[in-house]
Amino acid sequence: MVVNRLDDVVTGALEVLDAYGLEFCSMRRVAGHLDVQPSALYHHVADKQTLLALMADRIVADVEVSAAGSVRERARSLVRALRAAMLAVRDGAEVVATASAFRLGASQVEADLVDVLADKQGARTLLLFVFGHTQATQMHRMAASVGAIEPDPDLDASFDRGVDIVLRGLL
Amino acid sequence: MVVNRLDDVVTGALEVLDAYGLEFCSMRRVAGHLDVQPSALYHHVADKQTLLALMADRIVADVEVSAAGSVRERARSLVRALRAAMLAVRDGAEVVATASAFRLGASQVEADLVDVLADKQGARTLLLFVFGHTQATQMHRMAASVGAIEPDPDLDASFDRGVDIVLRGLL
């Protein structure tokens, strides 16, 4: 494959993520998957951290804030969509949470949540609960899928209840 | 080293964690560090997941709930102590959060927090915020320590503000 565009690098990285998980998603392996030398990757992205941020942006690209509804409804639907987008990709919550920790709030979703709540610290608190819960859910599901633990049927409902608790503290 | 006791295995695993990080803390590497065959480890712990739970228990072993104060004060001091214990160990937040996701609330700290708040879902929500924030803090500090990003001076204060938001939603 000829890596002509940054988009191709991000696509390749997400394919490696899906196949091997974040733990084994190295620049070297992404280069190998794209059948190029690692130096060709570095032509497009400065480092692993930059690649991770681009992967995170792609994972949440379709998460949109709704224009209608109360603040509570808009915040709730935004974080539900964020959770669904992260759960749809292997280790997606870890990728997005890690990228967020490195940038501290530069992503579009984070900006949208600040906008909806009109409260930067409140948005950050809700977001960190969302990351914490979704990472736990994803780890739990992964372990349950290989039979290591019993599945927990309450994970979706407990997310909603937790979001409502945080929003009650905010609004 | 002769691995006579389960405690020795957990100590060895925490030494490997400190030296290499969670990503490279495999059963094989822990066995190598203890200078025993992997089979000798499996005599003490059934699998990696069990080992992780034991490491998490050791990391938070000194986190104690205070008997005095209001519910809010006791919850606040408990999660502050939990955060400090996780930050004191390399990748500590990831170890404790991962073990928690696998067990869903079987640890002593989680039981203590349920007890203080008299609210299982509330305790879980606060705990997932604590994990989310502390993992973000630890990743951020690690990246800042190698000069990859600028340190954020607001991480401690933002933790306290976030805890107060969640507690406001709960109490």
Side-chain angles (χ1 to χ4, degrees), chain A residues 1-75:
Chain A
M1 176 179 181
V2 183
V3 179
N4 283 321
R5 299 180 317 138
L6 182 56
D7 264 7
D8 297 335
V9 174
V10 179
T11 300
L14 287 169
E15 287 165 0
V16 171
L17 181 71
D18 185 55
Y20 302 99
L22 183 57
E23 192 177 337
F24 301 105
C25 188
S26 63
M27 293 290 272
R28 179 166 298 274
R29 200 180 284 255
V30 173
H33 176 72
L34 292 169
D35 206 14
V36 299
Q37 294 297 315
S39 57
L41 278 199
Y42 287 102
H43 177 73
H44 292 280
V45 285
D47 48 34
K48 172 86 184 279
Q49 193 178 312
T50 306
L51 181 57
L52 206 68
L54 293 166
M55 293 162 72
D57 286 346
R58 181 81 71 82
I59 291 168
V60 305
D62 293 334
V63 176
E64 281 186 359
V65 61
S66 87
S70 66
V71 169
R72 186 179 302 268
E73 284 161 356
R74 293 173 73 209

Side-chain angles (χ1 to χ4, degrees), chain A residues 101 104 121 140 158 161 168-169, chain B residues 101 121 140 158 161 168-169:
Chain A
L104 283 170
Q121 176 67 39
H140 190 86
S158 91
R161 291 195 302 268
R168 202 153 58 225
Chain B
Q121 177 65 40
H140 191 87
S158 90
R161 291 194 303 267
R168 202 152 58 223

Side-chain angles (χ1 to χ4, degrees), chain A residues 86 93 97 125-139 159, chain B residues 97 100-101 124-125 127-133 135:
Chain A
M86 294 190 291
T125 300
L126 179 55
L127 204 68
L128 287 167
F129 165 75
V130 169
F131 289 157
H133 194 287
T134 311
Q135 283 187 273
T137 298
Q138 205 154 33
M139 286 189 283
F159 177 79
Chain B
S100 168
R124 185 103 202 114
T125 299
L127 203 68
L128 286 167
F129 165 75
V130 169
F131 289 157
H133 194 287
Q135 283 187 273

